[in-house]
Amino acid sequence: MINTKDILETINMIQQENLDIRTITMGISLLDCADSSTDRACQRVYDKICRKAENLVSVGENIEKEYGIPIINKRISVTPVAMLLAASGGDPVEYAKTLDRAAKQVGVNFLGGYSALVHKGFAAGDEALINSIPEALAETERICSSVNIGSTKTGINMDAVRLMGKIVKRSAELTADKGLVGPSKLVVFCNAPEDNPFMAGAFHGAGEPDCVINVGVSGPGVVRAALSKIPDADITEVADTVKKTAFKITRVGQLVATAASERLGVPFGIVDLSLAPTPAVGDSVAHILEEMGLEQCGACGTTACLALLNDAVKKGGVMASSHVGGLSGAFIPVSEDAGMIDAARNGTLLIEKLEAMTAVCSVGLDMIAVPGDTSEAVIAAIIADEAAIGMVNSKTTAVRIIPAIGKKDGEEINFGGLFGVSPIMKVNTASPEKFIQRGGRIPAPLQSLKN
């Protein structure tokens, strides 16, 4: 049970250490909206979202006031739209515009699920949706997109990898005059989870209920504050402190998730206990790693510190909630983390070190700005490298990369708001063109044979 002491203990975390609920995300299945007519299907999609999510924002605001816990975002994830497109055909951008209109109507800030799952190949609707992503993200405000191109069970679809290199670059070009919002809302996954509440990668998986509430907690500032009180502790005590702190943070998420589920009459799905940073000072995963003893994030030892943090967060959080899922761990988005931004500016944090860190973090290469003239093949190869880490290690990895059109490495780009500021990172430009053009599928690794 969650008692008064548990709630009161969080007050200092909220007021002094940036503890918040990063998102309440309602997952909505749109499978029953499929129709041979695009117009009819879009109308059904709009009606169902507006019906199911009508009270999502107001309930979130009421919980926030009642418990005094900041709830930063209220969001929606939906069935991968490529599945609906298979039934109706037509212009997939019409679905994107419908979803955007519904998101505005119910008041959520983002809606995820303009997605396709192509880890083993392209089904009907998949290629049409993927090819429409740049236009869809350029013509909408609140839609987020994701594509799953690999998994431990299936290997990596290199035809999809090659296509996504092109799509990411095209998305940047179409939104170059809009702050590059296109690629900032596009994630390429390996082992994508079906219940992730965080954008831009959220979608409502086919194995999920008709409607569900998933909550994403945060609180890197809380973890850093706890570690600052034990400056001379050994590593075992550091890990134990992170576990205890993660437990407290996750209990707050459980409280909010349970309340939202009851008031909306929707099943409680999972709490994602990821430490999700922001550009605000004091809300940084990088600063946690530095509190452990690094001069700056990116120094030798960074991967080891991150492995400790990720593991301890999961161990502490899993005891605090009946259902933990999503991604759960520590995010390392460069532009959204004040410490990561500083480390990248100073040249301490390089893209190669970030790739090593993704082997032990919660997701992958997230919000990485690269020079605008980075080729489609290099972007595709970065995606392939990250997918390989996820495939072999049976973990989720992802790439959200932003080709900064018209800019070179060493410059910066300001995305504004949650997306923050990103130094443009230098990329190895030796050509992987021939490898990428081969296509086909990288076979699943031996560890996929677990039955």
Side-chain angles (χ1 to χ4, degrees):
M1 290 291 293
I2 299 171
N3 57 39
T4 303
K5 181 181 177 182
D6 294 327
I7 298 172
L8 293 176
E9 192 174 15
T10 68
I11 292 176
N12 185 60
M13 297 179 185
I14 293 166
Q15 293 179 341
Q16 305 295 327
E17 299 162 4
N18 296 322
L19 174 63
D20 59 53
I21 299 299
R22 189 55 48 86
T23 181
I24 295 178
T25 301
M26 176 178 280
I28 302 174
S29 173
L30 301 181
L31 292 176
D32 57 345
C33 300
D35 195 281
S36 57
S37 163
T38 303
D39 290 342
R40 287 196 299 268
C42 285
Q43 188 60 51
R44 290 178 178 179
V45 165
Y46 179 84
D47 291 344
K48 184 168 185 178
I49 291 172
C50 291
R51 183 174 68 254
K52 292 287 187 180
E54 179 182 10
N55 298 316
L56 176 62
V57 172
S58 61
V59 165
E61 291 172 347
N62 289 338
I63 293 171
E64 187 174 7
K65 292 174 183 175
E66 183 174 336
Y67 291 110
I69 300 169
I71 301 173
I72 307 303
N73 301 297
K74 294 84 178 175
R75 297 167 169 173
I76 293 171
S77 63
V78 299
T79 304
V81 171
M83 294 183 179
L84 301 185
L85 194 61
S88 68
D91 182 3
V93 177
E94 292 303 313
Y95 279 104
K97 292 178 179 178
T98 298
L99 293 170
D100 198 48
R101 192 160 50 92
K104 292 175 183 176
Q105 176 63 29
V106 299
V108 296
N109 68 323
F110 284 126
L111 187 152
Y114 198 75
S115 307
L117 311 179
V118 295
H119 35 284
K120 204 171 183 178
F122 298 98
D126 289 337
E127 286 191 82
L129 181 126
I130 292 172
N131 282 314
S132 75
I133 287 173
E135 182 183 353
L137 295 181
E139 296 189 11
T140 60
E141 296 178 14
R142 309 189 188 197
I143 300 307
C144 293
S145 182
S146 60
V147 178
N148 193 64
I149 51 84
S151 75
T152 300
K153 280 288 188 182
T154 65
I156 301 171
N157 181 350
M158 291 302 294
D159 293 317
V161 168
R162 179 178 60 206
L163 179 56
M164 289 312 299
K166 173 183 174 183
I167 294 302
V168 169
K169 187 69 177 281
R170 180 61 178 155
S171 187
E173 291 169 348
L174 286 185
T175 57
D177 61 345
K178 300 178 181 179
L180 297 168
V181 296
S184 71
K185 296 191 293 180
L186 171 59
V187 182
V188 186
F189 275 115
C190 178
N191 289 321
E194 294 189 332
D195 54 4
N196 167 26
F198 287 106
M199 301 296 169
F203 65 88
H204 188 71
E208 293 288 297
D210 185 62
C211 190
V212 70
I213 287 292
N214 297 320
V215 166
V217 300
S218 188
V222 179
V223 176
R224 184 192 182 189
L227 293 180
S228 70
K229 297 171 185 175
I230 53 167
D232 301 316
D234 67 14
I235 290 298
T236 302
E237 188 175 349
V238 167
D240 194 49
T241 299
V242 174
K243 283 194 294 184
K244 291 176 180 177
T245 307
F247 179 90
K248 296 172 185 176
I249 293 170
T250 307
R251 289 303 276 174
V252 177
Q254 176 82 1
L255 172 68
V256 170
T258 302
S261 172
E262 291 174 352
R263 296 179 191 190
L264 290 166
V266 173
F268 159 45
I270 56 94
V271 174
D272 184 318
L273 48 94
S274 296
L275 298 180
T278 72
V281 174
D283 205 23
S284 162
V285 168
H287 289 161
I288 297 175
L289 306 181
E290 291 162 10
E291 198 67 55
M292 291 181 184
L294 303 175
E295 180 179 358
Q296 190 164 44
C297 180
C300 296
T302 297
T303 307
C305 288
L306 183 59
L308 181 158
L309 174 65
N310 214 51
D311 180 66
V313 165
K314 291 180 180 180
K315 286 176 177 174
V318 78
M319 296 300 294
S321 175
S322 54
H323 300 290
V324 171
L327 296 162
S328 292
F331 289 172
I332 53 171
V334 172
S335 78
E336 298 176 15
D337 185 304
M340 298 280 180
I341 293 168
D342 289 341
R345 280 175 177 157
N346 294 340
T348 309
L349 184 62
L350 306 175
I351 198 166
E352 290 81 6
K353 185 60 175 178
L354 275 167
E355 184 177 302
M357 292 164 67
T358 65
V360 298
C361 79
S362 185
V363 192
L365 293 174
D366 196 12
M367 288 301 290
I368 309 295
V370 298
D373 61 359
T374 304
S375 71
E376 295 173 6
V378 167
I379 294 170
I382 291 171
I383 292 169
D385 282 343
E386 198 58 35
I389 291 172
M391 175 185 72
V392 171
N393 289 288
S394 301
K395 72 181 291 290
T396 299
T397 51
V399 173
R400 185 161 47 146
I401 189 168
I402 294 91
I405 305 301
K407 292 185 178 290
K408 301 177 293 185
D409 63 85
E411 298 184 68
E412 292 190 359
I413 181 165
N414 191 335
F415 299 106
L418 177 64
F419 290 148
V421 177
S422 182
I424 296 169
M425 306 187 79
K426 186 176 181 179
V427 173
N428 187 332
T429 57
S431 178
E433 182 77 33
K434 184 175 180 180
F435 167 63
I436 294 300
Q437 291 302 322
R438 286 180 181 273
R441 183 152 53 96
I442 294 178
L446 187 60
Q447 52 266 45
S448 68
L449 301 177
K450 291 183 178 181
N451 288 336

